[in-house]
Amino acid sequence: MEEILNTLGHFGTYQKLQFFHVFLLSSCASNHMFSSVFLEYEPETRCYVPDIDDNSSTSLNSSVSLNDYIPWDDETGKLSECLVFPSAPARDFDNASLQMAVQCDTWVFDTSYRTSIISQWSLVCDKAYLRAIARGLFMTGVMLGALVLGSVSDRYGRKKVIIVSALANAVLGITLAFSLNYTMYVVLRLLLGVTCSGIYVTSFTLVLEFVGTTKRNSIGMAMSFPFTVAVVTLTGIAYFIPDWKYFQLAISVPIIVCLPLMW
């Protein structure tokens, strides 16, 4: 192999085109690596208060204060996200504070900045642990993909694994935007993590295999740049697309455009 590369060139036109193609695919896959920052964004939250939230004529600045309904959380320095007073508000806050607060089962989320799966499925209070599970399952998928698809690419070829992973990545990413519930979301994220490894890890190996020894160090370092590209592009996409479902679609569709370059 090295003798062939020495004859053809260490980083000729063909190698540059192939590098460009896998770089684009890896950048698209890297978007999903960091998308949880926006998909699982934790908005400001408080308990739902029927007397206030069902009455459009009652403003938060009126004589009826949220402090009359929701206890103060000294640890966070704001109104409690999980507790609410069960009875009618007491105009005297000292009396209200003597009431026994109870766990609320409905919440109001501040979606003025953006929506997320947190506000979609109320992953707060006793369900807050589900956030960590969602992130952990995605990285589990990334680990499984790196362990399994590396061996598969050794047997069936790098390019085949990259193309199949990219196709699956597009299908799973688009389907994720239409998740009906939390379980569907985390299962799709797990599988999406597998495909991300199938794209990036295999692309990294492929690139190093078809460039000469004099260029391998620089090309290997350059293959870390897709993560930088993802961080920059995701920030812009998230700014202009605050709805998590449309955001997910926006980061999933580009790989379909890049995929034909690998054929």
Side-chain angles (χ1 to χ4, degrees):
M1 184 68 178
E2 296 300 333
E3 293 178 358
I4 296 174
L5 288 173
N6 288 332
T7 302
L8 297 178
H10 285 197
F11 196 52
T13 302
Y14 175 78
Q15 289 112 315
K16 290 175 183 176
L17 285 174
Q18 290 299 303
F19 169 74
F20 178 68
H21 297 163
V22 297
F23 186 92
L24 288 178
L25 288 176
S26 297
S27 297
C28 292
S30 297
N31 282 336
H32 297 290
M33 296 280 193
F34 302 102
S35 62
S36 62
V37 173
F38 303 103
L39 294 174
E40 297 159 23
Y41 165 74
E42 301 175 17
E44 288 293 321
T45 309
R46 67 168 173 82
C47 288
Y48 175 82
V49 179
D51 289 351
I52 292 180
D53 297 311
D54 286 344
N55 186 356
S56 59
S57 63
T58 303
S59 68
L60 298 184
N61 296 323
S62 66
S63 59
V64 180
S65 170
L66 282 173
N67 289 326
D68 296 327
Y69 295 85
I70 302 175
W72 186 261
D73 188 335
D74 291 330
E75 291 185 6
T76 61
K78 59 183 180 180
L79 295 175
S80 174
E81 293 184 356
C82 306
L83 300 176
V84 65
F85 294 129
S87 58
R91 299 303 172 207
D92 183 344
F93 182 75
D94 290 335
N95 291 334
S97 64
L98 296 177
Q99 300 181 55
M100 183 176 294
V102 297
Q103 181 85 27
C104 58
D105 56 9
T106 309
W107 293 266
V108 175
F109 298 93
D110 180 7
T111 57
S112 59
Y113 171 61
R114 67 179 303 101
T115 65
S116 68
I117 67 165
I118 308 301
S119 56
Q120 179 83 26
W121 296 308
S122 299
L123 305 182
V124 294
C125 299
D126 59 340
K127 294 182 180 179
Y129 71 95
L130 294 176
R131 307 171 188 171
I133 291 178
R135 293 163 188 166
L137 284 177
F138 175 79
M139 295 311 299
T140 299
V142 172
M143 179 186 68
L144 291 174
L147 292 173
V148 175
L149 295 181
S151 298
V152 173
S153 68
D154 288 339
R155 182 168 183 177
Y156 296 102
R158 315 281 186 221
K159 208 167 196 179
K160 290 180 181 178
V161 170
I162 293 172
I163 291 173
V164 172
S165 295
L167 283 171
N169 186 277
V171 172
L172 292 168
I174 292 172
T175 306
L176 185 70
F178 300 94
S179 296
L180 301 177
N181 50 51
Y182 171 82
T183 302
M184 181 178 177
Y185 172 85
V186 294
V187 170
L188 289 172
R189 283 283 289 174
L190 171 68
L191 298 175
L192 199 59
V194 174
T195 66
C196 287
S197 275
I199 296 170
Y200 179 78
V201 175
T202 311
S203 294
F204 186 89
T205 305
L206 178 64
V207 166
L208 295 186
E209 286 176 342
F210 65 58
V211 299
T213 55
T214 60
K215 299 294 183 180
R216 279 182 188 157
N217 286 339
S218 56
I219 294 301
M221 289 188 290
M223 279 302 292
S224 65
F225 290 159
F227 295 107
T228 304
V229 173
V231 170
V232 174
T233 56
L234 277 179
T235 304
I237 295 171
Y239 178 81
F240 290 105
I241 307 179
D243 185 283
W244 78 266
K245 294 185 176 181
Y246 290 112
F247 169 79
Q248 177 62 33
L249 285 174
I251 66 174
S252 300
V253 171
I255 200 168
I256 299 176
V257 179
C258 299
L259 185 57
L261 299 174
M262 283 298 296
W263 292 102

